Amino acid sequence: RIHQYYVLRSYLLRISIRIAKEWLSVLFERTLQRSGFNMRREGKIRAVLAGIFILGHGGVLSSFAFMGPAVPAVPTGPFPQTNVATAIRRQYSSNPFEEETSDQRKERMKLVRGVQKTFYSDEVGVYPAQFGVYSNLLIYRADWTELPGFQHVMNVTDPDYTNMLMRCVSSSRPWYFGHVYLPEGADGDEYNYRLEKWSDAPLIGTLMQVSDYKVLDDGNLYVVVQALGRFMVIDSIQSSPYGIANVEMLPDQEMVEHFYEEAEDTAATFDFALNDNARGAACAGAVADAGVWRDYEFQDATLDDNDGNFPPVANFDVNAASSVATNAGDIVHAAIEEYLSQSPSNMFHGECSIDLDGPDVATEEDSIDAEFQLWCELDNLAKILTRLNPKANTEMPIPTQILGLLPADKDGRSWPKGFKLSRYTKKMSNVYSILEKNSNLQLNKDEPDQLKAVEGYPRLRRARRLSYIVWALLDTILGDDYIKEEGRVTKQQILEMSSTTARLKAALLRIREINETLKQVLEKN
């Protein structure tokens, strides 16, 4: 302990010599304010600990010294494969002490990490949602939109968001936080872009899950994140240095309509019903359905998986499929009954904040029909891309995560003549079965499981997933700038669409446009 005391004291002394006294005072005060400390109330010991905390964030000194606005780091993806293992190995920390040896630095960083743990020891995370409402959710705001079903790795360098995500991962799992689009050039502290209903800021965001993370020597974070579902901000609790809000999950119109009849029947027959709000109960059932299938739709991804290679779309977890399919119906019905057992005077949240009364409300059949049309157009796209690149005709240009959503029974419809995707999927399933039996061949263990959704996977959830992840294909073919072109539907507009049918039709329109352009290229050549 005496040795550690003198080591820490010597480092703090060196910092004090290098930085003017008044700058250091301002620096500590700003850090303490951002971290929720008060120097006068907590005493000098906590101030010194805060100083040690700063030393663990190499480049943070300059960030605080300039007092500039916090700018979140841009994520590394999505790309067809995002490799972070190499990036982590090449990540070197900025060392403020040139004469410090590697072993001394490791010892200092070990002490710093111990101090950091005391800062986050009281974190409890996000309480389980009640009827789809998450309270006190940490909000990450950035100039891009997260679409449900996607995953990528974020390199977090901003000190505010590093603090926020450390709070998140220091609690018990699941590690949830929210992501809300912040228009480019708009600072989060500006009056017109606060997370309030009267502001110009978008209030539709995405519930995110941290699947894995790594703290680098300089205090920055590599974080594997997965986008789970969309929500609406209903109460803003804090705007700076990062947002904290109460949010309500927003199921699609078709999902609510799907459970409406069950909710209506339960409201009429449930002995303990204290309200008859069938629409709210149906919404609660849809939210519960999304929650129970989440374990299957989002396989845990770690920084060590496949040497750090990540597809932009989350994989299915077949190990969770059996229990999910068995319990989904009971969990949904229990959620409907629980909602109906609320007293009307106590009902405040969970009212299902989507419009189900207008003439354009989409039905389940609408979404399945739009899904079928989209698959036909995707088949045309695959044929055209194969013709444009005949040397790669042994490969399918449609990713396996998308092919796995191809309906097996076609829902009573017949594929058009020459439909290629179903034959390819069946062929690859047979190939994988053969390869799995050969222990000498290296096979990505996740690939076979992604080629076919498990039996019992609801068709509405299948169509919903496709309506989001199909945009990953557009990113791969044309690049992210394609969606940013003037007149194109933006990812934020896609997220704000309240129905699966609307998103499927938007994707259908874009893919038809791409196919027409590619056909013209073929004709000219």
Side-chain angles (χ1 to χ4, degrees):
R1 290 180 179 177
I2 293 174
H3 171 71
Q4 293 175 358
Y5 166 76
Y6 279 106
V7 169
L8 292 176
R9 190 182 73 167
S10 64
Y11 289 139
L12 289 175
L13 182 60
R14 293 178 188 179
I15 288 294
S16 300
I17 293 174
R18 295 183 182 187
I19 303 176
K21 182 178 180 180
E22 56 272 19
W23 273 105
L24 188 58
S25 299
V26 174
L27 177 62
F28 275 176
E29 190 67 31
R30 182 175 177 87
T31 306
L32 295 174
Q33 288 174 356
R34 291 191 176 198
S35 304
F37 293 105
N38 183 291
M39 186 181 295
R40 296 175 181 83
R41 185 178 70 245
E42 301 293 336
K44 292 183 179 180
I45 294 179
R46 301 300 288 272
V48 171
L49 293 180
I52 299 172
F53 176 78
I54 295 173
L55 295 181
H57 287 77
V60 177
L61 291 174
S62 59
S63 299
F64 280 121
F66 284 107
M67 304 300 175
V71 180
V74 177
T76 57
F79 297 104
Q81 292 288 339
T82 301
N83 188 291
V84 297
T86 303
I88 290 177
R89 287 194 296 269
R90 294 177 179 174
Q91 180 74 27
Y92 295 99
S93 303
S94 57
N95 194 342
F97 310 121
E98 297 177 359
E99 66 274 22
E100 185 179 47
T101 66
S102 176
D103 290 340
Q104 288 174 333
R105 176 169 176 75
K106 289 180 180 179
E107 183 66 21
R108 177 168 65 87
M109 295 310 300
K110 182 179 179 181
L111 295 174
V112 169
R113 296 293 171 248
V115 173
Q116 285 179 322
K117 287 182 179 179
T118 66
F119 289 162
Y120 302 116
S121 60
D122 296 331
E123 296 299 329
V124 295
V126 179
Y127 291 104
Q130 183 178 22
F131 310 123
V133 175
Y134 286 94
S135 301
N136 299 312
L137 186 69
L138 302 172
I139 304 295
Y140 191 112
R141 303 185 71 190
D143 60 355
W144 71 87
T145 299
E146 298 281 6
L147 293 182
F150 282 64
Q151 66 179 9
H152 61 86
V153 180
M154 293 171 59
N155 177 19
V156 185
T157 59
D158 181 88
D160 290 332
Y161 286 119
T162 299
N163 175 34
M164 187 200 86
L165 288 169
M166 283 301 298
R167 287 185 59 187
C168 177
V169 300
S170 296
S171 61
S172 57
R173 284 180 178 268
W175 295 327
Y176 290 157
F177 69 97
H179 182 284
V180 177
Y181 172 64
L182 181 66
E184 188 174 356
D187 182 70
D189 289 338
E190 289 186 4
Y191 183 79
N192 290 329
Y193 286 95
R194 291 180 179 272
L195 286 177
E196 302 286 355
K197 294 181 179 180
W198 46 260
S199 75
D200 296 329
L203 296 180
I204 303 297
T206 310
L207 181 67
M208 306 294 292
Q209 172 178 264
V210 176
S211 181
D212 193 18
Y213 74 99
K214 181 179 180 64
V215 182
L216 304 179
D217 281 351
D218 56 9
N220 295 335
L221 292 175
Y222 272 114
V223 187
V224 183
V225 296
Q226 298 172 323
L228 305 181
R230 66 191 197 104
F231 63 67
M232 182 177 71
V233 175
I234 52 179
D235 287 315
S236 178
I237 299 171
Q238 173 182 304
S239 296
S240 179
Y242 47 80
I244 299 179
N246 298 332
V247 305
E248 180 182 359
M249 300 303 296
L250 297 179
D252 286 349
Q253 292 178 356
E254 297 90 342
M255 295 298 298
V256 179
E257 189 257 354
H258 176 78
F259 292 111
Y260 184 81
E261 183 176 352
E262 180 180 355
E264 200 171 36
D265 292 343
T266 304
T269 58
F270 185 43
D271 293 336
F272 299 99
L274 298 180
N275 71 82
D276 58 356
N277 186 354
R279 192 185 87 164
C283 185
V287 171
D289 183 70
V292 72
W293 280 102
R294 191 174 292 161
D295 290 340
Y296 169 65
E297 293 175 333
F298 295 91
Q299 182 185 58
D300 281 342
T302 69
L303 290 166
D304 296 328
D305 287 345
N306 301 322
D307 295 324
N309 289 315
F310 290 92
V313 174
N315 284 331
F316 285 135
D317 187 354
V318 293
N319 296 323
S322 177
S323 61
V324 168
T326 301
N327 300 324
D330 292 338
I331 293 175
V332 168
H333 190 75
I336 291 175
E337 289 186 340
E338 184 180 3
Y339 183 91
L340 293 172
S341 65
Q342 293 182 102
S343 170
S345 59
N346 295 331
M347 293 170 62
F348 178 68
H349 291 314
E351 293 299 308
C352 198
S353 304
I354 58 176
D355 182 15
L356 293 176
D357 300 322
D360 299 325
V361 174
T363 65
E364 181 172 346
E365 288 305 316
D366 291 335
S367 65
I368 300 305
D369 182 63
E371 178 196 34
F372 179 82
Q373 295 180 49
L374 181 58
W375 278 116
C376 293
E377 209 60 49
L378 284 171
D379 187 68
N380 291 334
L381 175 62
K383 293 175 182 176
I384 295 172
L385 290 176
T386 303
R387 289 179 60 191
L388 284 170
N389 189 11
K391 293 183 179 180
N393 58 7
T394 57
E395 299 179 2
M396 171 57 62
I398 309 297
T400 54
Q401 287 90 349
I402 294 180
L403 284 175
L405 299 175
L406 184 68
D409 56 5
K410 296 168 290 185
D411 296 295
R413 299 169 173 81
S414 299
W415 296 122
K417 185 177 181 180
F419 189 79
K420 180 180 179 181
L421 294 182
S422 58
R423 295 199 303 270
Y424 175 83
T425 302
K426 183 177 180 179
K427 175 182 176 181
M428 289 308 301
S429 296
N430 294 333
V431 170
Y432 281 131
S433 298
I434 296 173
L435 293 178
E436 285 178 328
K437 297 176 182 178
N438 192 330
S439 58
N440 296 323
L441 295 176
Q442 291 186 349
L443 176 67
N444 186 335
K445 59 182 178 61
D446 292 327
E447 287 292 325
D449 296 334
Q450 309 311 312
L451 269 175
K452 182 180 179 181
V454 296
E455 185 176 353
Y457 188 50
R459 65 176 190 169
L460 266 180
R461 297 213 59 80
R462 180 193 69 206
R464 172 192 172 276
R465 183 174 172 91
L466 177 65
S467 72
Y468 284 119
I469 70 173
V470 70
W471 297 94
L473 179 63
L474 295 178
D475 286 351
T476 302
I477 295 174
L478 299 173
D480 189 54
D481 290 338
Y482 169 79
I483 296 182
K484 294 180 180 179
E485 291 180 10
E486 185 176 356
R488 308 289 186 192
V489 61
T490 66
K491 286 187 176 179
Q492 183 62 27
Q493 290 173 329
I494 296 167
L495 182 67
E496 293 182 359
M497 292 178 180
S498 61
S499 73
T500 300
T501 303
R503 290 191 299 272
L504 289 171
K505 288 184 176 180
L508 177 63
L509 181 65
R510 291 293 168 254
I511 294 177
R512 279 178 177 170
E513 184 180 282
I514 294 171
N515 286 346
E516 290 300 318
T517 302
L518 294 178
K519 286 179 182 178
Q520 294 175 11
V521 173
L522 281 173
E523 291 174 358
K524 290 181 179 179
N525 294 285

